[in-house]
Amino acid sequence: MSGMAAVLAHEIKNPLAGIRGAAQLLEDGASADDRSLTQLICQEADRIRALIDRMEYFGDPRSLARTPVNIHEVLDRVRRVAETSFGRNLRLVEIFDPSLPPVLGDRDSLIQAFMNIVRNAADAVAPDSGEIVLTTGYRPGVKVATPVAGNEKRQRLSLPLEVTVRDNGPGIPPDLLPNIFDPFVTTKSHGAGLGLALVAKIIADHGGVIECESQPRRTLFRVLLPVAPQNQTGTGHV
Ligand SMILES: Nc1ncnc2c1ncn2[C@@H]1O[C@H](COP(=O)(O)OP(=O)(O)OP(=O)(O)O)[C@@H](O)[C@H]1O
Ligand SMILES: [Mg+2]
């Protein structure tokens, strides 16, 4: 996947910029009718570029810049963006545990991850009675067995930070549920099926775990994350 993303980015972005530029040049001398076509070329080129940009993330070998991050600040940002755009008519509820310690994370990537989950929830719920609930909690006893790269054995990691995103939409079809974190799995006519694949990568890069359970009127994404070591001070404390 990462190799493919890198090749695609390289081989498509440059000719695409050429196509877009040529369409823009044509636009100058075009009639009103033809101009709507050149604009369509530009818009579609932009859409492909945005898709490639998202795919490129999978091939990005840079490691995350991880610092202590206040996850409530991350979720607040997601909520505020949602409320002013795609989630304008929804009820967005926050149930936060105020004693939560900071997560060792990359703030922008975490915003992107939770934005994708909330965006899906907003897409799924009914416009008039949609409700999305964001919760956080501290579960010090939670240990998760995760595979370690290059090692047959599994390591038991402590992932005490729990963030959940719940919605009251129709739920994810049972046959789709096992594959929702795979790339290109989508039921939307304009969906790329990359949102949750990106989320899964971001959470895995944080050493965390994501799981999903779904039934009609109750779809829940649960993210478990490690806390920042105590000697790392930052702005993360609530
Ligand atoms: N909260 C949810 N309720 C119902 N279905 C969901 C929910 N979240 C995800 N899904 C299903 O999982 C599929 C995959 O989601 P994903 O975010 O990966 O892709 P997408 O939203 O279709 O497209 P993209 O995010 O790339 O624009 C969705 O098409 C949808 O069918
Ligand atoms: Mg999505």
Side-chain angles (χ1 to χ4, degrees):
M1 182 72 197
S2 59
M4 190 176 89
V7 170
L8 271 179
H10 186 255
E11 296 302 314
I12 293 182
K13 268 187 172 175
N14 286 339
L16 195 63
I19 293 170
R20 196 186 191 289
Q24 260 178 327
L25 284 176
L26 281 176
E27 199 169 315
D28 289 343
S31 66
D33 272 0
D34 287 348
R35 203 167 296 150
S36 70
L37 293 177
T38 54
Q39 280 164 1
L40 188 66
I41 294 173
C42 289
Q43 283 161 11
E44 291 301 287
D46 289 344
R47 209 159 61 81
I48 296 171
R49 199 196 148 89
L51 178 67
I52 300 285
D53 282 343
R54 288 176 75 195
M55 288 194 58
E56 236 177 337
Y57 184 88
F58 290 98
D60 191 348
R62 275 177 307 175
S63 57
L64 299 174
R66 292 170 75 187
T67 55
V69 173
N70 180 346
I71 200 74
H72 294 152
E73 204 221 307
V74 166
L75 296 173
D76 259 338
R77 167 61 66 88
V78 172
R79 182 180 55 81
R80 272 189 291 139
V81 172
E83 276 174 352
T84 54
S85 54
F86 57 84
R88 223 169 301 142
N89 302 318
L90 309 175
R91 216 168 96 80
L92 272 147
V93 184
E94 290 176 338
I95 306 175
F96 288 169
D97 175 350
S99 69
L100 215 65
V103 59
L104 190 61
D106 180 271
R107 184 174 172 274
D108 289 347
S109 299
L110 288 171
I111 290 176
Q112 194 182 9
F114 287 106
M115 192 75 80
N116 283 351
I117 299 175
V118 170
R119 172 88 220 218
N120 282 342
D123 285 346
V125 296
D128 45 348
S129 58
E131 185 180 82
I132 300 173
V133 183
L134 307 173
T135 77
T136 63
Y138 190 62
R139 319 245 176 279
V142 175
K143 287 230 166 38
V144 181
T146 48
V148 186
N151 192 336
E152 286 289 292
K153 283 202 213 116
R154 292 181 150 239
Q155 192 184 28
R156 286 182 73 76
L157 280 181
S158 178
L159 299 174
L161 263 170
E162 184 192 75
V163 183
T164 72
V165 179
R166 193 175 78 220
D167 71 71
N168 63 352
I172 301 171
D175 56 336
L176 194 73
L177 199 55
N179 304 319
I180 46 163
F181 295 108
D182 294 344
F184 308 121
V185 171
T186 183
T187 55
K188 301 173 191 172
S189 53
H190 283 89
L194 283 177
L196 287 179
L198 211 62
V199 172
K201 172 161 167 50
I202 291 169
I203 301 304
D205 286 350
H206 279 82
V209 166
I210 182 162
E211 52 195 30
C212 174
E213 56 194 60
S214 184
Q215 61 195 56
R217 300 197 56 76
R218 188 178 188 280
T219 294
L220 183 126
F221 285 84
R222 176 181 291 110
V223 176
L224 303 173
L225 291 165
V227 293
Q230 297 235 312
N231 57 2
Q232 293 223 23
T233 52
T235 53
H237 275 290
V238 178

